Amino acid sequence: MTISLDGRRFRAVADVVAGEVGTQTVFAYHERAGEVWAEYAGGSIRRGHLVGTRTGDRLDFRYVQLNTDGQTSSGHCVSEVSVLPDGRVRLHETWSWESRPGSGSSVVEEVPAP
């Protein structure tokens, strides 16, 4: 059974080396009919957007963002969806910049509901 990402919020579990996303960055995901998109902000990110597709437990998307220094960046990411023992969702991400050199991996986990 595929778990929907729609309405779920995520946060990085650690600051991302070679990236700008950190533990203060919060992602608000949406999903409908195989399409995924999100808005994100926090930490060094003033505003970010991602858009892409989902096939099973695999997300494939492009992202664009504006950092707090006023610089824009873009890239590509592939994520694998998994479920933690407590029922929250985890995304294992492999990403690369398209607007500048660099790549890496990160893990974001669902933020527990208040």
Side-chain angles (χ1 to χ4, degrees):
M1 177 177 183
T2 301
I3 294 177
S4 175
L5 302 177
D6 195 52
R8 295 180 190 259
R9 294 173 5 128
F10 294 84
R11 186 183 305 258
V13 298
D15 290 335
V16 179
V17 176
E20 295 181 331
V21 167
T23 58
Q24 297 303 308
T25 310
V26 176
F27 296 79
Y29 267 78
H30 311 279
E31 180 177 6
R32 197 165 293 117
E35 297 176 3
V36 293
W37 65 99
E39 303 85 30
Y40 58 99
S44 66
I45 305 296
R46 187 177 300 163
R47 181 181 313 274
H49 298 276
L50 64 85
V51 63
T53 58
R54 179 176 183 174
T55 304
D57 287 334
R58 184 178 186 270
L59 309 180
D60 189 328
F61 59 82
R62 294 291 194 289
Y63 57 89
V64 294
Q65 60 194 40
L66 173 67
N67 68 20
T68 54
D69 292 333
Q71 299 171 321
T72 60
S73 301
S74 63
H76 175 246
C77 183
V78 174
S79 298
E80 293 294 328
V81 180
S82 62
V83 179
L84 296 165
D86 65 6
R88 292 180 303 125
V89 177
R90 174 184 280 170
L91 305 176
H92 295 266
E93 304 178 324
T94 303
W95 53 268
S96 59
W97 293 110
E98 293 180 331
S99 61
R100 62 184 184 193
S103 62
S105 62
S106 54
V107 174
V108 298
E109 292 181 353
E110 185 175 1
V111 177

